[in-house]
Each structure stands twice: as C-alpha cells, then as structure tokens.
Amino acid sequence: MNAQIFPRGDRLPEGTFTGAAYLYPLEDNDLLNAGAVTFEPGARNNWHAHPVAQLLVVTAGEALCKEEGKPAVRVRTGESAYTPAGVRHWHGAVPDAEMTHVAVTLKGPDGPVEWGRPVTDEEYAQAAAEAV
C-alpha cells in the first residue's frame, strides 16, 4: 500500500469512472479546481478534455496517462503530467497498485471538464502494456 498524504475522500460517480476512485477536495474557486484523487488498482476516468488545461502531480503510486493519438505513459510518485487545452485524454492507476494524484484544473467559461465515453478494457490493457 502507498503512503497517503491526503485523506481518501468521497467516492466519485461511476458514470465518469471505471472502478473505484475517491476525491478529497483541496480548492474550488473562480480560476481553478484542485483535488487529491485516489484510484484503486485498474481504476481510470473516462476520456475527457479540459477547456483550459490540467496539471497532475502523482503523490503515491503510479499513474497511466493516455492522450488521444499518443502512446500511454507511466507517471510515478513525484512526477507530473500536463495536458493542454482541448486534448482528449484519460488517466488512472496501474493494474496492480493504488495511485493518488493531485489534479489542478483551470476553469473555462463552460467549466473545468468535458466528459466523454468510458475507456474500454481493451484500451486500458493496451495502455498498460505500452506505457514506460
């Protein structure tokens, strides 16, 4: 188990996540939304995009991050991943370990996120196999 620096928080809705994920809110204001999100092994969010941008900082475990049209990457504890405005992507835990990241999402006029379809098991397995 990974050492956690934030409480687990409340479970996130299943409609935008596959598997169990939990949110501990850190900040929500006119400019940005920030929270510590803990994913159980294999859990991930749906494909989505941010109208402005997003920064993830992994605080425990390893994340899988996948931008549309690019190879998946592993983001380890202490590393970060930046997603520019409008880029479709998803992120979640590796198959065999829990992961927590702090997500800092800048808000646009239509909010911080535009949700898409779930990541299929096949897409997830391919990402886990290709990520380095």
Side-chain angles (χ1 to χ4, degrees):
M1 178 144 182
N2 298 310
Q4 298 292 336
I5 60 174
F6 299 105
R8 180 168 278 247
D10 296 326
R11 184 157 180 177
L12 288 159
E14 292 181 22
T16 51
F17 288 79
T18 299
Y22 306 85
L23 172 65
Y24 179 73
L26 298 171
E27 183 67 40
D28 190 6
N29 60 46
D30 292 341
L31 177 65
L32 62 84
N33 179 296
V37 184
T38 300
F39 294 78
E40 291 186 354
R44 66 263 188 192
N45 51 30
N46 288 6
W47 285 99
H48 62 284
H50 303 282
V52 182
Q54 183 181 58
L55 175 69
L56 302 177
V57 179
V58 176
T59 61
E62 288 185 65
L64 286 177
C65 297
K66 171 80 172 155
E67 288 185 7
E68 189 172 52
K70 293 185 178 179
V73 296
R74 284 181 186 253
V75 183
R76 293 163 176 84
T77 300
E79 296 177 344
S80 63
Y82 172 77
T83 305
V87 174
R88 282 180 21 99
H89 68 287
W90 62 266
H91 35 94
V94 294
D96 58 350
E98 186 174 275
M99 179 274 296
T100 300
H101 65 50
V102 171
V104 180
T105 306
L106 299 175
K107 292 181 179 179
D110 297 324
V113 64
E114 299 164 354
W115 289 108
R117 68 171 177 80
V119 174
T120 66
D121 290 342
E122 294 77 19
E123 288 172 317
Y124 178 81
Q126 180 179 352
E130 76 186 11
V132 291

